[in-house]
Amino acid sequence: MQGYAAKAAARADGPAARWLYGPWTDLIVGCAAWSVPMLLFTGRSTRSGARGWAVLFYLLALAFNYPHYMATLYRAYHTQSEFARYRIFTLHLTVLLALVAVVSHAWSAIVPWIFTVYVTWSPWHYTGQNFGLLMMYARRNGVAPTDRERRALYSAFLASYLLLFISFHTGPSNDPLILSLGLPEAVAGPARAVLLAVFAAVGALALLRMVMRAGLPGLPAMLAPFMLFAAQLVWFVSPAIAEWATGARLPQARYSAGVLAIMHSAQYLWVTSYYARREAEASSGGGWRPWSYAATLVAGGIALFVPGPWVASYLLRFDFTTSVLIFTAVVNIHHFILDGAIWKLRDRGIAALLIDSERRASDSAAQAGRAVQGVTRWLVGDRLAARRMRVALLVALSVWATVDQARFVLATDHRSLSALSRAAALNPYDLSVLGRRARILVEQHQYQEAYDLYSGYLARRPDDVDALVGAGTLALELGKREEAVERWQRALVKDPSQRDARRYLAEIWANTADRLDREGRTAEAARAFRQALALDEGSVDGANEGADWFNYGQFLRRRGAEPRLVIACLLKAEELLAPTSDSRLQTVRDVRAAVEQDHPDAAEAARGDLAAALAAARTRE
């Protein structure tokens, strides 16, 4: 009673800072005050020791990332009432995304789409959490924003996310697994300026109005909201400004799934553990058991991420690394949707435990804390068999996670052939390990051994496109030209967009065209040149494609073709070589200038309709 009276008196005097675990923990972890040192430290570390940092992040995932996904599942699934309440998410959405994961293993073309959704959505998920925590603290501390102020803050947070979105989707993607909208810089630049103005002006104005309403005695109550706004600035606005100023592209996947994911996950566990504790203490089912809760989150997190790729790779003979990416993307998307549905401050139960009085919290938790049913009820029960089952599952998952961590450490060793061989022994279906082993063998000029590695892998997975490309490259090195062509053609049948296979086949056809031309077999040479140009179009290799257009133009020139067609080929070659700073560019320009000087009318005609001239050149026999 005295405690309640003291709180009432404090509220009467004005807004006051109220913390979940204490000011230091709340500010550093919950409000992400550690953002600047963490980002600076990881930025320097990744430049000086990329592998060591990757290994550390993989380990930190066990303590932060994996459990934070399980924290949402714990809330949604651990009682019958919550499961039924969010049935469309807990059941129907889960089944749908499980099907997406299965289809992704059978149809690799959709993997970049799924991974792009995950990487693009992640920053929005982090933004939503920061905004929600700001609102929680503002309401909890008695400085709740007005509707207008809330809309202004939401607009500022939305603007900060859109800044990063533009960074991710301006120009071509720098990651083959991520698709870019290809926004032109002419659009991205002005959009960034507008969004920066919105974030700075609208957000600062809303916070200033809240400070003025709180008054000088209420400034401590505004500390947490200020820190969360600053975290949003550091996480999203500062990188966008730096990219805009320097022109350096942000690594989308690394930024979304790296240190930001760790800080977000720690923040998430901080608030959800507080909620779970309050819920347990307010219910009639017993007190708070933190170690049991922590073990549940860790074990459940491991179960979400670790077994799936191992089972898929062994049963389906699927590439382990790709499977990891699929499970990562699908589990994250499920988490984003489920989290957005269940963690709402307008939910009376959530508000009661995070914001309102203990009396209301007790009333709400009593309803939410009903016993679970069926297998789940038995599994969490006190029977000896249930306890043994829990221990067995925990031990099995821990061992599996340890093996997974060991495999990752071995698999990321780019210098040790023995370490990579041990990683391959643990999981022989990891194409990234195969590539690293083959690279070391090639550096040691052990081409046959590298070729044998790929051949053994393809015996298990004959349709793996990347393995077919690698095996073809080694076959060519060993003088097996026909086999190399056959491997690359099979790769293109499986995946027509495979760039390396197209590039290698284009080089083969270009070399064949030169040989046929020297032998005087003009018609066959023309067809070989056109075959090379057709393959060049999908290889995204401007230098080689430009060189092939130049050689084809010279071929037509020697055969007395119409000057307009020759000039068109040379113009196309110059256009492709110009962005690459290729040493052959000046030669192309000199030849093109000489031909144009001799045929000014043809040059004007070619420039007037270059597409038509190129189409005509490609049909010239």
Side-chain angles (χ1 to χ4, degrees), residues 143-487:
V143 287
T146 64
D147 288 343
R148 179 177 294 182
E149 291 163 355
R150 185 186 183 281
R151 287 194 295 270
L153 286 170
Y154 186 84
S155 298
F157 275 65
L158 175 61
S160 66
Y161 164 73
L162 290 176
L163 278 168
L164 198 68
F165 179 92
I166 288 174
S167 296
F168 281 5
H169 290 281
T170 297
S173 172
N174 53 17
D175 189 322
L177 274 173
I178 300 174
L179 307 175
S180 172
L181 294 177
L183 299 174
E185 188 58 45
V187 173
R192 285 189 176 109
V194 171
L195 292 170
L196 280 171
V198 169
F199 178 82
V202 175
L205 180 60
L207 289 174
L208 180 60
R209 289 170 61 92
M210 292 168 65
V211 168
M212 293 175 63
R213 192 165 60 253
L216 189 60
L219 282 181
M222 286 296 299
L223 185 57
F226 267 125
M227 189 60 69
L228 285 158
F229 189 81
Q232 193 70 12
L233 168 68
V234 172
W235 288 13
F236 302 111
V237 180
S238 297
I241 294 175
E243 180 181 281
W244 193 12
T246 64
R249 292 292 303 276
L250 277 175
Q252 301 105 308
R254 188 184 306 168
Y255 193 75
S256 286
V259 65
L260 277 193
I262 295 294
M263 292 190 293
H264 160 79
S265 300
Q267 186 184 57
Y268 194 93
L269 291 171
W270 158 82
V271 70
T272 53
S273 62
Y274 174 83
Y275 177 88
R277 187 192 75 184
R278 290 290 307 278
E279 183 183 44
E281 291 173 348
S283 70
S284 58
W288 169 240
R289 295 187 292 178
W291 291 110
S292 176
Y293 179 73
T296 299
L297 297 194
V298 171
I302 292 171
L304 282 173
F305 286 93
V306 174
W310 284 84
V311 172
S313 61
Y314 270 92
L315 290 185
L316 305 178
R317 296 185 175 182
F318 194 84
D319 176 45
F320 179 79
T321 299
T322 304
S323 187
V324 168
L325 296 176
I326 291 171
F327 273 88
T328 298
V330 170
V331 172
N332 269 277
I333 292 170
H334 182 271
H335 169 72
F336 298 157
I337 299 173
L338 186 59
D339 178 80
I342 68 174
W343 292 109
K344 298 292 185 183
L345 289 178
R346 61 176 173 266
D347 181 286
R348 293 184 61 187
I350 300 291
L353 291 170
L354 294 181
I355 298 172
D356 297 335
S357 70
E358 293 185 5
R359 179 180 57 82
R360 290 182 59 191
S362 179
D363 292 342
S364 174
Q367 181 180 358
R370 293 173 180 165
V372 294
Q373 61 177 355
V375 175
T376 306
R377 178 186 297 166
W378 177 85
L379 187 61
V380 300
D382 292 328
R383 293 184 179 181
L384 180 61
R387 291 200 299 270
R388 287 177 175 172
M389 178 65 73
R390 291 197 298 270
V391 171
L393 287 174
L394 183 59
V395 170
L397 288 170
S398 299
V399 170
W400 207 333
T402 302
V403 172
D404 185 68
Q405 292 284 324
R407 190 214 64 85
F408 183 81
V409 172
L410 295 170
T412 52
D413 193 332
H414 296 262
R415 299 178 181 177
S416 173
L417 191 59
S418 61
L420 293 169
S421 298
R422 289 196 296 272
L426 289 172
N427 192 312
Y429 301 103
D430 191 341
L431 190 58
S432 65
V433 173
L434 174 68
R436 294 185 187 109
R437 293 172 72 193
R439 196 172 300 117
I440 293 175
L441 290 170
V442 169
E443 290 172 356
Q444 297 174 353
H445 304 291
Q446 300 181 49
Y447 302 115
Q448 185 63 52
E449 290 80 356
Y451 174 81
D452 292 341
L453 272 181
Y454 274 105
S455 298
Y457 183 87
L458 285 168
R460 296 188 298 268
R461 294 199 65 216
D463 296 329
D464 191 300
V465 172
D466 292 329
L468 285 168
V469 174
T473 306
L474 288 164
L476 187 66
E477 188 69 36
L478 293 170
K480 303 176 181 181
R481 182 179 178 278
E482 292 74 14
E483 181 182 335
V485 170
E486 187 270 334
R487 300 274 196 188

